[in-house]
Amino acid sequence: MTQHNAAGGCFHCGLPIPPEADFHARLDEAERDFCCFGCQSVSSAIYEAGLQGYYQRTPEGVLLGPPPEPPKDIEIYDFDEVQQEFTTCSGDVRDIHLLVEGIHCAACVWLIERGLQRAPGVLSAEVNLAGKRLHLRWDNSKNKLSDLIRALARIGYSAVPYDPESAEGAIKKTNRAMLFRLFFAGFAMMNMMWIAIALYSGANQDEFRGFFHWMGLLLATPTLLYSGYPFFRGALGGLRAGHLTMDLPIALGLSVTYAYSLYVTLTNNQHGEVYFDTVTNLTFVILIGRYLEGMFRHQAVSATKRLMELQPRVALVMHDGHEQMTPIRGVKLGDLVMVKPGYTVPVDGVVLEGHSAVDESMLSGESIPVSKSVGAMVSAGTLNTSGVLMVEVRAQLQDTTLSKIIRLVEEAQSSKAPIQRLADTIVPWFVLVTLLCATITFFIWNSHDFEIALMAATSVLIITCPCALGMATPMSIAVASGLGAKHGILVKNGLVLETLSKVTHFVFDKTGTLTEGKMSVAQVHVAAGVDAQDVVRHAAAIERYSEHSVAHAIVAYAEEQQLPFRDLFVSGFQAVAGLGVEADSGGQRVLLGSAEWLTRQGIELDAALQARVHQLELQAMSCVYMAQNGKHVAIIALADQLRSDARQLVEELRASGITMTLLSGDRRPVAEAIARQLGGMEVIAEVLPQDKDQVIQRLQQGGAVVAMVGDGVNDAPALIRADVGIALGSGTDVSVESADIVLMHNELDKVRQAVQLSRRTLRTIKQNIGLSFVYNAIMVPLAMMAKVSPLVAAISMPISSLIVIGNAARIRTMFKNR
């Protein structure tokens, strides 16, 4: 037995025992000392199970380390919905791979296998020491998976389900397969090097010439068939589909070089040379390029994966006052979910109980936690930092804000901008031109020297791979979409990024876009002999039935003044978009809205109140007219604060040469007062909701490329009509669905960032396409002149692709210093 505590160390792990530790247990009629309660519990469990042979099998001097923390919430793995992601089932017999933390040596393997094989229902337990994984088969009707994971925890090991697809991802799995091919090609290349050295040193002139040729053939053949398989698969797949793919020139170059070398070897031709070393070298170098491309591409577009990782798999659902862990797919609308401090919010919902600060940076880009209390909305993927929240579920998994963001980012990354469609059209022709150039090169040089012709043609085939051209646009769009999502700018497709960079005219909705949209009653003016409080009571009684921001402001004002308006009986409520509302309140016919609304009803406007309206509108206050029983009795003045960042945005857009229009349904003096505060712009006021898109259409007919920024239901037609529609995240669902770009965080500065992002993306796309053409314009003539060997060509080709990827990845540095 290894005496771990012989020198005062812990009996189980061998680490020094802290002076303040007081953990002992009597084992094998001897008192044993431990460094912590975990080691004491684990050692006691090992002895109770009769597995003390573990200590005999532990190598002398090996420090085991204290047992790792057991995983949290392991009950979720008992749900069939969760298990189906990790297990294979045959009735009640389940098969799973567990990733086990705490495995150190062969003794650990023995302990885990013996410990689990004694558990009820376990059919087999096999440990992979190198991978630290446990392959477990058990009868689920006799034992739960959570109990088996707990059994492992009791003997000192922490285990969680292991799924290669989710643990490494499809891209990493592909890269791993490519690594195997790469290592094989590297092994063949290193051995081929010795054969090439021998041949170039004179062995091709004596009796060993044939021997070395056959040795080269034996190394090159499996390299071409195994390591070169991806090129042939891609080329044949493209030909079957009627497309000339980027793999075709590579496959042809390798095949022709190998075929000629095979001919020389089989015929024992004394004048020809073999190029098996070229085959292995090309395969190895091109695979290195492919592997690096895949790795860097994965890093560049990893935003979607990071977003997916924000979604919790389970939620604590309250049932009859008790919390029950439920798979997220099993959570239903209306369920009450508990969110503890430090946990990620699993659902979209409204807070019913509790107060906390929620970190929404992963969705909005805003680093400061947002205070949440009763009535506040929370989103899946955000982090609850302090208090406990009780949240009522308002959206199922596929409809949460996080899910919508993921879908938008995926759609944007997979969409094609017009410039990319052009590139995609060019690529097949590019391949065809490559084949023609290689053919011409071969015939030109063949009249001088067959082998020079073969090498020059192969170099042309390899060096003109149009990978860089093909990925110039999608890489840039994917990186830009991911960066935008990280900073709260959701782009729905690649076309939008290209169009936004060309926008010449911005149209801003006033209320809720340039202003905060939080209307508040500033003043109330009444006609002679009219009671102001009575006017506000009737106005609030009617406006509580409206969803308009003006209505909310009037109701809030009445509540602040503690006026009893809810006891008034209201009937016949009717709202007319862009004009106002009318209803019977307390036996009186009341109208609230614009001056036009009252005049349409044949009501004469009070001259004194009209004069007051003119003064208030010059101060950027909006006025609501009120009539009772056919008489104009009052005006209610409302103020709306200009957004703090509105003036800066307008100035920066103006400085970049973009013209702007303020579009509002409000009165012209009010809209013009707002425009003056912003430094002046064109004002189109008193526009009805249904006419806003016509304003956009007129601007487009004048030759402008128009972007519309809005947030309300009445902005939806204009957002659709505009070349680019931008909706603020605080807006209505209709406006968000109608927009091309959604700004998750309610900041106008995001408009400027979106414009910068689009311009940077288009500039990067043009740079990448330019780099691709410059590379080919220089390297192809050199290859046709036989100035570039196939090996140099193989090194140059992936470098061009890596430059394009690296240039696209530079987009990620845009907002670093902001």
Side-chain angles (χ1 to χ4, degrees):
M1 181 185 294
T2 301
Q3 297 297 320
H4 286 132
N5 60 340
C10 174
F11 175 73
H12 177 70
C13 71
L15 294 177
I17 299 177
E20 67 276 10
D22 187 25
F23 302 101
H24 316 280
R26 191 163 185 79
L27 305 171
D28 266 358
E29 300 183 358
E31 193 74 16
R32 307 296 187 186
D33 299 323
F34 302 92
C35 65
C36 63
F37 180 71
C39 284
Q40 178 188 329
S41 301
V42 167
S43 189
S44 298
I46 290 172
Y47 270 83
E48 287 170 8
L51 296 170
Q52 56 267 39
Y54 164 69
Y55 292 107
Q56 276 101 14
R57 289 168 173 79
T58 305
E60 188 72 36
V62 170
L63 296 180
L64 302 177
E69 283 288 320
K72 297 178 180 178
D73 305 330
I74 55 176
E75 291 82 2
I76 67 169
Y77 301 129
D78 293 333
F79 292 107
D80 288 338
E81 299 94 329
V82 175
Q83 279 194 17
Q84 68 185 11
E85 296 184 32
F86 306 106
T87 63
T88 54
C89 305
S90 177
D92 286 326
V93 176
R94 307 286 167 91
D95 191 301
I96 191 172
H97 288 268
L98 297 172
L99 195 60
V100 184
E101 184 184 353
I103 296 179
H104 304 92
C105 57
C108 297
V109 174
W110 179 88
L111 178 61
I112 292 171
E113 292 180 348
R114 294 299 184 279
L116 284 181
Q117 284 167 2
R118 298 182 182 189
V122 173
L123 304 176
S124 67
E126 299 170 355
V127 176
N128 178 339
L129 177 59
K132 300 188 186 304
R133 291 199 294 271
L134 165 66
H135 182 201
L136 180 66
R137 291 182 71 243
W138 84 103
D139 188 333
N140 200 53
S141 64
K142 295 179 180 178
N143 212 334
K144 295 179 181 177
L145 180 57
S146 62
D147 290 336
L148 296 174
I149 294 176
R150 281 196 195 91
L152 280 172
R154 281 196 296 273
I155 57 174
Y157 302 94
S158 175
V160 291
Y162 173 80
D163 178 18
E165 291 295 329
S166 60
E168 297 179 9
I171 293 176
K172 287 188 178 180
K173 187 178 180 182
T174 302
N175 280 352
R176 192 173 71 248
M178 189 174 289
L179 266 180
F180 289 136
R181 300 182 192 279
L182 178 62
F183 289 150
F184 188 89
F187 169 79
M189 184 192 73
M190 287 186 289
N191 285 278
M192 188 71 77
M193 193 182 301
W194 297 110
I195 296 173
I197 290 172
L199 289 171
Y200 294 141
S201 300
N204 62 337
Q205 303 298 326
D206 55 30
E207 68 272 15
F208 291 107
R209 171 187 171 92
F211 170 76
F212 282 118
H213 284 185
W214 280 100
M215 289 298 295
L217 176 63
L218 290 174
L219 282 170
T221 303
T223 303
L224 185 69
L225 295 176
Y226 175 64
S227 297
Y229 171 73
F231 311 130
F232 293 100
R233 181 184 58 193
L236 291 173
L239 290 173
R240 278 197 295 267
H243 297 293
L244 299 178
T245 66
M246 302 171 189
D247 287 316
L248 184 59
I250 298 174
L252 278 175
L254 291 173
S255 300
V256 171
T257 306
Y258 175 82
Y260 175 70
S261 301
L262 178 65
Y263 164 77
V264 171
T265 302
L266 293 177
T267 59
N268 197 23
N269 188 313
Q270 297 299 313
H271 303 290
E273 298 291 342
V274 295
Y275 295 95
F276 291 126
D277 57 329
T278 301
V279 173
T280 55
N281 291 350
L282 285 180
T283 305
F284 178 69
V285 172
I286 295 172
L287 281 175
I288 286 179
R290 288 283 174 94
Y291 178 73
L292 291 175
E293 283 175 25
M295 187 173 66
F296 289 134
R297 192 184 308 129
H298 174 59
Q299 290 175 355
V301 300
S302 59
T304 310
K305 183 183 176 186
R306 288 196 301 271
L307 285 169
M308 288 177 174
E309 289 170 351
L310 293 176
Q311 177 61 60
R313 292 181 174 230
V314 294
L316 289 175
V317 179
M318 303 302 294
H319 289 293
D320 300 324
H322 298 286
E323 57 191 70
Q324 181 178 331
M325 194 168 293
T326 306
I328 194 65
R329 295 183 183 279
V331 178
K332 301 180 179 62
L333 292 176
D335 280 352
L336 187 63
V337 172
M338 175 192 286
V339 186
K340 296 179 181 179
Y343 279 64
T344 302
V345 179
V347 293
D348 279 13
V350 62
V351 177
L352 297 187
E353 292 179 34
H355 178 84
S356 182
V358 175
D359 182 356
E360 298 183 336
S361 59
M362 55 285 294
L363 295 185
S364 67
E366 177 59 47
S367 58
I368 301 173
V370 180
S371 179
K372 299 289 183 181
S373 54
V374 175
M377 297 298 296
V378 292
S379 300
T382 56
L383 181 67
N384 182 26
T385 62
S386 49
V388 175
L389 296 176
M390 293 294 185
V391 178
E392 182 184 325
V393 180
R394 290 292 177 87
Q396 291 184 303
L397 179 63
Q398 66 272 21
D399 299 320
T400 64
T401 303
L402 179 60
S403 296
K404 290 176 181 176
I405 291 172
I406 291 170
R407 281 199 298 272
L408 285 175
V409 174
E410 286 178 337
E411 287 169 10
Q413 290 183 342
S414 61
S415 65
K416 292 187 179 182
I419 195 168
Q420 183 184 349
R421 286 193 283 270
L422 176 62
D424 288 348
T425 304
I426 292 172
V427 165
W429 293 102
F430 195 100
V431 174
L432 182 61
V433 170
T434 298
L435 298 176
L436 288 174
C437 287
T439 305
I440 292 168
T441 301
F442 178 80
F443 282 112
I444 289 174
W445 283 101
N446 191 40
S447 59
H448 297 83
D449 187 298
F450 175 81
E451 293 185 359
I452 293 177
L454 179 65
M455 290 297 99
T458 301
S459 297
V460 172
L461 287 171
I462 300 298
I463 211 163
T464 55
C465 177
C467 301
L469 179 64
M471 67 176 63
T473 301
M475 277 302 304
S476 301
I477 287 177
V479 173
S481 301
L483 180 68
K486 182 179 177 181
H487 289 270
I489 303 167
L490 297 183
V491 182
K492 290 190 176 178
N493 57 64
L495 170 62
V496 172
L497 282 171
E498 187 173 339
T499 308
L500 182 58
S501 66
K502 300 174 182 176
V503 165
T504 59
H505 195 103
F506 263 86
V507 176
F508 291 96
D509 176 53
K510 179 181 77 69
T511 305
T513 303
L514 290 174
T515 64
E516 292 182 351
K518 298 174 182 175
M519 307 288 284
S520 59
V521 175
Q523 301 176 26
V524 178
H525 299 275
V526 295
V530 177
D531 180 12
Q533 289 193 345
D534 187 61
V535 163
V536 175
R537 280 183 68 221
H538 284 283
I542 293 170
E543 293 286 25
R544 63 180 166 156
Y545 293 99
S546 172
E547 287 297 317
H548 199 281
S549 58
V550 168
H552 293 162
I554 293 173
V555 171
Y557 180 73
E559 289 175 338
E560 286 173 15
Q561 301 297 313
Q562 298 183 339
L563 300 176
F565 63 90
R566 297 187 185 277
D567 56 345
L568 291 173
F569 178 73
V570 176
S571 62
F573 176 85
Q574 184 180 357
V576 179
L579 293 173
V581 298
E582 63 176 321
D584 290 321
S585 172
Q588 300 184 50
R589 190 64 182 169
V590 179
L591 280 79
L592 283 152
S594 64
E596 183 185 353
W597 179 231
L598 266 62
T599 53
R600 281 192 184 186
Q601 306 298 321
I603 297 171
E604 185 179 350
L605 301 180
D606 185 281
L609 292 177
Q610 274 290 79
R612 179 68 69 177
V613 166
H614 182 67
Q615 297 172 4
L616 294 169
E617 287 180 342
L618 290 175
Q619 301 171 43
M621 290 190 191
S622 301
C623 294
V624 176
Y625 291 73
M626 179 172 172
Q628 284 181 314
N629 295 328
K631 182 181 178 183
H632 182 198
V633 296
I635 55 168
I636 302 173
L638 298 107
D640 188 5
Q641 289 290 320
L642 199 66
R643 287 184 185 269
S644 59
D645 52 357
R647 187 178 179 88
Q648 180 185 356
L649 171 66
V650 169
E651 287 175 353
E652 291 191 5
L653 291 177
R654 188 184 291 118
S656 63
I658 293 175
T659 54
M660 286 161 286
T661 297
L662 176 62
L663 189 62
S664 176
D666 215 332
R667 297 256 302 145
R668 174 166 286 277
V670 177
E672 287 179 341
I674 293 290
R676 282 195 299 274
Q677 292 179 32
L678 294 169
M681 68 173 72
E682 181 190 8
V683 173
I684 302 178
E686 301 178 43
V687 181
L688 294 174
Q690 57 268 33
D691 297 332
K692 285 187 176 182
D693 69 316
Q694 295 176 16
V695 173
I696 304 292
Q697 189 175 19
R698 284 198 297 273
L699 289 168
Q700 289 171 327
Q701 288 170 349
V705 181
V706 182
M708 167 74 187
V709 186
D711 75 325
V713 173
N714 56 5
D715 296 324
L719 290 169
I720 294 171
R721 174 75 66 180
D723 296 289
V724 179
I726 303 175
L728 298 183
S730 61
T732 61
D733 289 342
V734 176
S735 64
V736 169
E737 289 295 327
S738 305
D740 301 303
I741 296 176
V742 180
L743 307 179
M744 291 302 298
H745 202 255
N746 208 13
E747 292 179 1
L748 271 180
D749 189 53
K750 297 294 183 187
V751 175
R752 178 185 60 81
Q753 290 186 355
V755 173
Q756 287 182 336
L757 182 63
S758 68
R759 289 177 174 175
R760 175 69 175 272
T761 303
L762 192 67
R763 188 166 69 246
T764 302
I765 290 171
K766 289 178 178 177
Q767 287 172 353
N768 285 346
I769 291 175
L771 285 169
S772 177
F773 277 115
V774 168
Y775 161 81
N776 284 291
I778 294 172
M779 299 304 290
V780 172
L782 289 175
M784 294 182 73
M785 293 162 62
K787 300 294 185 183
V788 177
S789 70
L791 184 58
V792 172
I795 294 171
S796 303
M797 184 267 292
I799 287 176
S800 68
S801 299
L802 292 176
I803 290 172
V804 165
I805 293 171
N807 193 39
R810 286 175 57 239
I811 294 173
R812 292 191 296 183
T813 64
M814 266 196 67
F815 304 134
K816 282 283 175 69
N817 300 319
R818 298 182 186 280

